[in-house]
Amino acid sequence: MAATIKDIAKKTGLGLATISSYLNGGNVREKNRIKIEAAIEELHFEVNEVARGLKTNKTKIIGIIIPELNNIFCAEIITEVEDQLRSQGYATMICDCRTDERREEEAVEFLLHRRVDGLIIMPSGRQGKYLNRFTKAGKPVVVIDRKLDGVDCDSVLVDNEGAARDAVGRLLKAGHRKIGMIAGPKDIYTAQERYRGYCLALKEAGIEPEARFAAWGDYTIEGGASAMKELVTRNPDMTAIFVSNYEMTMGAIIEINELGIRIPDELSFIGFDNVEFAKASIPKLSIVTQPTEEIARHVAALMLKRLEESGDTDGHQAVKLKTSFVEGKSV
């Protein structure tokens, strides 16, 4: 039979309140700590996390919802977030919603019923009112890479507008005027911000953005390839392209190779994210890079801060981080 807290009390001669305080992370006298830890080892005592969770209403589990598990950007962030949370005694429960808002809503319900202590989410769309069930229950929510209408929570994102503005500015400085862009889904915050940055850069150079030079993809490799083919077919005068997402960058490069277009001789190219892919391409790609580790650290820190405050959402924060640029030979 498994050892209980009463067995530890009998072994150490200490009161149940003292032992319970130790097991729940409270302060106990040093000599009592030594006694308790020795008894735990001798009795092979294991904390019943389920029972403790029911008693304290804390499961020490954080729910995480992401649009695609095989998305490099998502994976890098979530891996670091998980490490940060684990170091503070929290486990994670990860749900992949396949970029489907219905699945996402179901995942929110699933995690709420599993009594997770908080939720970290990279939403598939702009609407997230179903997240209010978490905040109304006093559970903290941290949103990654998005701004959501009608949801009062913390968020961590990058300066998407500035990133696109800088990338297109580099193409303009290189002498290009017919610059295309592969943007993301029109209803996604990051896609809107990057497209806005593209338009601002052109306008600052005295160029009025033309709809024919923009293709709206879907943040997938296939979507990037399709958008690239569409732009090349529609715009034989296009001399440069900015692709605003990692998966679409891969797809665009695949399509460029299929079409036999030479970079940068016939088309200058700036992509988004993944230094390894940029280095592996011939020629090496110039790309915008997002600070995934820094994003993850801020996400974990915000979640832990809220958990310490017992889910208090007053004065929620919106952290905006800067991107970097890796210079290749594709411009």
Side-chain angles (χ1 to χ4, degrees):
M1 182 181 293
T4 68
I5 189 172
K6 290 182 179 180
D7 294 324
I8 296 176
K10 185 177 180 180
K11 190 74 177 177
T12 60
L14 298 172
L16 292 176
T18 300
I19 298 167
S20 179
S21 177
Y22 168 84
L23 294 175
N24 287 291
N27 293 320
V28 297
R29 293 179 179 178
E30 181 65 13
K31 64 178 182 179
N32 291 339
R33 181 188 66 78
I34 294 171
K35 286 182 181 180
I36 293 169
E37 290 179 355
I40 286 173
E41 185 174 354
E42 183 179 339
L43 297 170
H44 304 291
F45 174 80
E46 292 184 3
V47 176
N48 186 329
E49 294 290 355
V50 174
R52 183 162 72 175
L54 291 171
K55 184 178 179 181
T56 64
N57 200 31
K58 301 292 182 183
T59 61
K60 300 290 284 186
I61 297 174
I62 305 300
I64 298 178
I65 300 176
I66 55 176
E68 295 287 346
L69 193 59
N70 61 356
N71 179 294
I72 295 294
F73 177 67
C74 295
E76 288 182 351
I77 291 175
I78 297 311
T79 297
E80 182 66 23
V81 166
E82 192 175 30
D83 286 346
Q84 295 285 329
L85 293 176
R86 186 187 296 115
S87 71
Q88 299 301 314
Y90 285 89
T92 56
M93 189 177 291
I94 301 172
C95 297
D96 177 355
C97 70
R98 316 289 202 282
T99 316
D100 183 320
E101 288 192 65
R102 182 177 293 276
R103 281 177 178 262
E104 185 173 288
E105 189 168 355
E106 290 172 353
V108 168
E109 288 296 312
F110 169 80
L111 292 170
L112 191 62
H113 292 153
R114 291 301 181 277
R115 303 166 63 89
V116 297
D117 294 341
L119 177 66
I120 293 169
I121 181 170
M122 188 180 293
S124 299
R126 292 181 64 188
Q127 301 300 321
K129 291 183 179 178
Y130 43 86
L131 296 177
N132 286 327
R133 289 198 61 189
F134 259 88
T135 57
K136 287 178 180 177
K139 296 177 183 290
V141 175
V142 180
V143 175
I144 305 174
D145 202 40
R146 302 284 191 275
K147 276 188 178 179
L148 294 177
D149 298 330
V151 182
D152 188 23
C153 62
D154 296 310
S155 62
V156 180
L157 51 145
V158 299
D159 182 6
N160 289 287
E161 181 185 297
R165 196 172 178 180
D166 176 63
V168 176
R170 290 170 185 269
L171 294 171
L172 289 164
K173 189 175 181 180
H176 296 284
R177 292 295 178 267
K178 304 293 185 180
I179 302 170
M181 176 183 181
I182 298 179
K186 288 185 178 181
D187 61 343
I188 298 294
Y189 169 79
T190 51
Q192 295 170 347
E193 289 291 292
R194 291 168 194 173
Y195 181 67
R196 184 178 291 112
Y198 162 79
C199 292
L200 283 172
L202 292 176
K203 288 178 179 179
E204 286 171 356
I207 301 170
E208 190 61 31
E210 296 181 61
R212 69 184 177 102
F213 283 116
W216 297 86
D218 58 2
Y219 284 169
T220 67
I221 293 174
E222 294 78 12
S226 177
M228 189 70 245
K229 188 173 183 178
E230 175 189 338
L231 285 176
V232 170
T233 302
R234 195 165 63 201
N235 304 293
D237 56 339
M238 183 175 68
T239 63
I241 182 78
F242 167 54
V243 187
S244 62
N245 158 268
Y246 166 61
E247 279 76 16
M248 294 195 303
T249 293
M250 289 186 68
I253 289 295
I254 290 170
E255 185 62 28
I256 284 171
N257 290 337
E258 288 290 322
L259 295 172
I261 297 172
R262 290 174 295 132
I263 296 176
D265 299 338
E266 297 174 294
L267 186 71
S268 286
F269 188 102
I270 291 180
F272 219 90
D273 276 338
N274 200 301
V275 175
E276 288 74 19
F277 175 72
K279 289 180 178 178
S281 297
I282 299 176
K284 293 180 180 178
L285 301 182
S286 294
I287 57 166
V288 176
T289 61
Q290 299 186 86
T292 52
E293 286 191 15
E294 191 178 356
I295 292 170
R297 287 196 296 270
H298 278 282
V299 168
L302 280 170
M303 176 55 67
L304 292 168
K305 178 175 181 288
R306 293 304 183 193
L307 290 168
E308 290 173 3
E309 297 169 349
S310 300
D312 181 15
T313 58
D314 289 340
H316 64 280
Q317 297 180 42
V319 178
K320 183 177 285 190
L321 305 172
K322 293 290 185 182
T323 57
S324 300
F325 193 84
V326 176
E327 199 76 59
K329 297 181 179 180
S330 58
V331 176

